[in-house]
Amino acid sequence: MKKVALVALGGVAGFALALGLLPQAQGAQDTGPYRQLDLFSDAFERVRANYVRPVQDTELVNAAIQGMVSNLDPHSSYMDAKSYNDMQITTKGQFGGVGIEVTQEDGLIKVISPIDGTPAAKAGIKSGDRIAGIDGQSIAGQPLNEAIDKMRGPEGSKVTLTILREGEKKPFDVTLQRAVVQVDADTWRKEGDIGYIRLPGFNEQTASGLEKAVRDLKKQIGPGIKGYVIDLRNNPGGLLDQAIQVSDDLLTGGEVVSTRGRHPEDTQRYDAKGGDITDGKPIVVLINAGTASASEIVSGALQDHKRATIVGMTSFGKGSVQTIIPLGEGGGALRLTTARYYTPSGHSIQAQGIIPDIAVSQGDETNIPKIARPSEADLPGHLVGEPAAKKINAPVVQPAPGKKYDDFQLSYALDLLHGKMTVAAAGKSAKAD
């Protein structure tokens, strides 16, 4: 045992030297990064030798890296080779699963939003739901990637999720049949003389989907088209380059977004090249508490350039940039938070979100307890946002009592583009809901 431990320590020392953490001349009595790696090596060997069952070295190392990275913030994580491959498949547009965007909170999996048209959405899974178990097994404390892997599987197979929901006294089970999830597929339709475009996320096809939607709607509606509603509600984000391209498609120029990292030289600015594909027609963008990350970049850019009217409720507030860093041949990758997003006016999205120009409730958000509304600011370990300018609390527009709408926020947007006043009532003031 002693000999094995010494060999392992020698390897850790060599690792530290290779990383430039330890000068060649330092002695064993020194503290700092080498001492911490020494501590890790000691723990590694003790677990390896004494745990109740044999464990593979890769299992211990993967768990150690995951623990190190996931402790930094809610969006940093380690992906083993399989998870990394799954992530690459997802960004290309499809995978087998139930269709929910999730994060981890208090040891459970929290639903950011279900993906349109998927088994989860059809079964009524909601933003803010917490998943406590999968197939009858508790997932408390389980790494996020492992829980996601359990929810994915072959098309047609079944999985049972145990759901905790605000307002429900007891957990309940929902059994879903997995399907091939078409991730973030744009959809569109005409609403009279207005084009409605739904962007549920940002993958490699999102910008081209938007461009096709605008072309088709121009043909369907003709020259009398009044404008467009772009629906970013419950859009959890995705690829930065697609958010930039979507913004570029709707702007004639100017900054789209900037990212600022740890060092001044890490700052990057992304500009629109010009060429508004809608020919300057009015645009209303719909957002809510499930609007996050890339969708907040688009909302913020269009709002700051006064290119669109933002309608809905304050967005999620995920204003951090995750960089995917591969870790060598077959070694998986790090998803590491490396910067923050800023809108063209210099507004930090992080833990603040995009505040709509007109706060419009779907009808029940203002009555839901705060804990049930997903928000970056509520996630344990989130990056603290920068101080925001003082906000003026405006009334939240709500459906008039007794009047029924299939989608009040959309009805309000359509009326706004037609220059009409929606039948509505003013409710509570609009805060970061």
Side-chain angles (χ1 to χ4, degrees), residues 282-321:
I283 296 173
V284 173
V285 174
L286 294 176
I287 67 171
N288 65 5
T291 302
S293 194
S295 55
E296 292 177 289
I297 290 173
V298 173
S299 303
L302 298 181
Q303 183 180 57
D304 282 2
H305 286 290
K306 303 189 185 307
R307 179 62 191 91
T309 302
I310 312 300
V311 169
M313 301 298 284
T314 301
S315 63
F316 185 78
K318 182 186 175 296
S320 58
V321 183

Side-chain angles (χ1 to χ4, degrees), residues 264-287:
E265 61 269 22
D266 295 332
T267 300
Q268 295 190 58
R269 169 179 160 155
Y270 301 90
D271 295 324
K273 301 179 179 66
D276 178 1
I277 63 174
T278 69
D279 304 317
K281 294 291 184 180
I283 296 173
V284 173
V285 174
L286 294 176
I287 67 171

Side-chain angles (χ1 to χ4, degrees), residues 205-226:
Q205 286 83 43
T206 300
S208 60
L210 172 69
E211 292 154 12
K212 184 177 188 306
V214 172
R215 287 195 302 270
D216 284 0
L217 289 166
K218 284 180 178 178
K219 290 178 182 177
Q220 291 178 31
I221 300 172
I225 189 167
K226 288 279 189 184

Side-chain angles (χ1 to χ4, degrees), residues 1 26 65 74 93 95 127 157 205 209 223-224 229 241 243 249 270 296 313 316 343 367 384 387 424:
M1 171 66 189
Q26 278 190 307
I65 299 173
F95 61 89
S127 296
S157 62
Q205 286 83 43
V229 174
D241 66 333
D249 282 341
Y270 301 90
E296 292 177 289
M313 301 298 284
F316 185 78
T343 71
N367 298 319
V384 177

